[in-house]
Amino acid sequence: MTGKESTYASAGVDIHQEENTIKSLTKMIKFKREGFGAPLTDIGHYAGLMDFGEFAIAMTTDGVGSKVLIANDMGKWDTVGIDCIAMNVNDLLAIGAEPIGFVDYLALEKHKPGFSKEIGIGLAKGAEIARISIVGGETATLPDVIRGFDLAGTCIGAVKKDEILTGEKIKVGDVIIGLRSSGVHSNGYSLVRKIIKESPYDYHDYCPYDLKNTIGGELLIPTRIYMEVLDVIKKHEVHGLAHITGSGLLKLRRITNLGFDITDPIEPPAIFKFLQEQGGVSDLEMYKTFNMGMGFVIIVPEEAAPYVIGMTGGKYVGKIVESGIKVKDLVIE
């Protein structure tokens, strides 16, 4: 432990400043198409929606982020493609859309043998899990801009307009079902890297809690893709969905202004406790930065909860209340 508390802001990512930047950018985007292809949601939800007759076309765009720097350090790039697809697909699932197609953007400092093949392995696996086609993409060599590489993509999905889930149906008393994450996923890595850099460990060291895996290997475990959500919304009444990424449980504010009383949270995987101890990170900061073991949330009426839990292997974590976001006695908001 460093003796000084690490925060996401001290690692260079200030969530509130980021929100201000987004607001400044989006308020300048005023033109909106009308008729066929008109936008159906305001900028800021999990996915953008456009009118396509009976259907809405949903679009997301995202990247792997600074997790790629750990991949470079480990010389292992065959899973980051899964992360790239997962971050986009999970955002589509969060509004009830079925993912269909994907395009990727790979920016490189320079080309080296074997690297692009490993990137392709991950993209192919992610596409297979998400049941989507990769229909194109772009590769750019930018030695004056990029150090190493950056990987991002855009995903398109479809949903019937009367089946879009934006959270407006959520009501007090609804049950919150948490779906487990596979680990840190692909968010908060600026803080992760700061913690490891200031600790006595490096990525090639074995995890003190699991000597079968290195710290770098644990941090490169790819983001889980929650395709089971599509089966749930076909069979049961669902009031809201949330993909828990950067800013942690604050992401729940995207779907409702009602409150979340999480009385029985998912036990975070050991990697989170390790990072928290090494960085001296507070519980509050952890839940405002990481998924803490819960990568996706499904909100349903109480009577549907046992069936949804049975379908997904998810866990009852709490209920919707009038206001606030709490994990046991910890007030997140």
Side-chain angles (χ1 to χ4, degrees):
M1 182 171 168
T2 62
K4 183 179 180 181
E5 181 183 344
S6 296
T7 64
Y8 208 10
S10 70
V13 182
D14 188 312
I15 294 168
H16 300 295
Q17 287 185 356
E18 190 173 277
E19 289 175 352
N20 290 335
T21 297
I22 292 169
K23 288 177 182 178
S24 295
L25 188 155
T26 55
K27 76 178 183 180
M28 302 307 297
I29 303 172
K30 297 178 181 179
F31 175 80
K32 293 183 178 181
R33 181 184 172 95
E34 297 180 357
F36 191 71
L40 296 176
T41 54
D42 292 329
I43 297 172
H45 209 279
Y46 279 103
L49 291 163
M50 297 180 295
D51 189 341
F52 261 60
E54 179 186 358
F55 286 85
I57 294 296
M59 297 182 67
T60 58
T61 188
D62 206 345
V64 182
S66 63
K67 188 173 185 174
V68 300
L69 297 176
I70 299 176
N72 283 339
D73 192 282
M74 297 297 293
K76 186 180 187 301
W77 303 283
D78 61 342
T79 59
V80 291
I82 301 175
D83 289 297
C84 188
I85 287 178
M87 297 307 295
N88 284 280
V89 165
N90 288 340
D91 276 1
L92 287 180
L93 297 174
I95 54 103
E98 179 177 2
I100 297 172
F102 187 85
V103 293
D104 64 90
Y105 175 72
L106 176 61
L108 300 163
E109 179 183 4
K110 61 181 178 181
H111 296 265
K112 52 187 172 183
F115 167 77
S116 59
K117 179 180 178 181
E118 288 203 28
I119 295 293
I121 289 171
L123 288 171
K125 182 63 177 177
E128 180 183 354
I129 295 169
R131 304 194 292 272
I132 59 175
S133 301
I134 298 178
V135 295
E138 175 70 13
T139 300
T141 308
L142 303 169
D144 295 328
V145 177
I146 297 292
R147 292 293 176 263
F149 78 102
D150 189 26
L151 179 64
T154 297
C155 198
I156 290 180
V159 57
K160 288 186 176 180
K161 285 194 288 190
D162 60 357
E163 295 177 0
I164 296 168
L165 290 165
T166 58
E168 73 277 359
K169 295 180 181 179
I170 296 172
K171 62 182 187 297
V172 172
D174 281 347
V175 169
I176 307 166
I177 296 170
L179 304 188
R180 288 172 174 80
S181 68
S182 53
V184 184
H185 281 185
S186 193
N187 297 100
Y189 275 78
S190 292
L191 179 54
V192 168
R193 292 186 299 103
K194 179 180 187 293
I195 290 171
I196 299 301
K197 182 179 180 181
E198 295 176 355
S199 79
Y201 297 93
D202 67 34
Y203 300 122
H204 296 272
D205 289 332
Y206 285 98
C207 298
Y209 56 86
D210 180 7
L211 296 179
K212 294 180 181 179
N213 199 8
T214 62
I215 293 169
E218 185 84 358
L219 292 170
L220 287 179
I221 292 173
T223 305
R224 180 177 168 184
I225 300 175
Y226 296 94
M227 294 301 290
E228 62 268 36
V229 170
L230 291 179
D231 296 326
V232 170
I233 61 181
K234 288 176 184 176
K235 295 183 179 180
H236 298 285
E237 182 180 354
V238 174
H239 288 174
L241 301 162
H243 180 203
I244 309 302
T245 58
S247 71
L249 291 185
L250 295 177
K251 273 291 188 292
L252 296 171
R253 276 289 159 255
R254 285 194 175 187
I255 59 173
T256 184
N257 288 321
L258 290 173
F260 295 77
D261 188 12
I262 299 175
T263 55
D264 191 17
I266 291 173
E267 181 70 23
I271 184 64
F272 291 107
K273 183 177 181 181
F274 170 75
L275 291 169
Q276 183 173 19
E277 290 177 346
Q278 292 303 311
V281 186
S282 69
D283 289 343
L284 181 60
E285 186 71 16
M286 292 295 290
Y287 276 100
K288 282 187 172 183
T289 303
F290 301 112
N291 67 64
M292 294 300 283
M294 185 172 70
F296 207 93
V297 166
I298 304 175
I299 300 164
V300 298
E302 189 169 11
E303 61 270 19
Y307 304 101
V308 174
I309 290 170
M311 287 183 68
T312 62
K315 182 180 186 292
Y316 169 93
V317 297
K319 287 192 173 184
I320 298 296
V321 293
E322 290 288 350
S323 62
I325 300 174
K326 288 176 59 180
V327 179
K328 294 186 175 179
D329 295 327
L330 180 67
V331 178
I332 308 299
E333 185 188 68

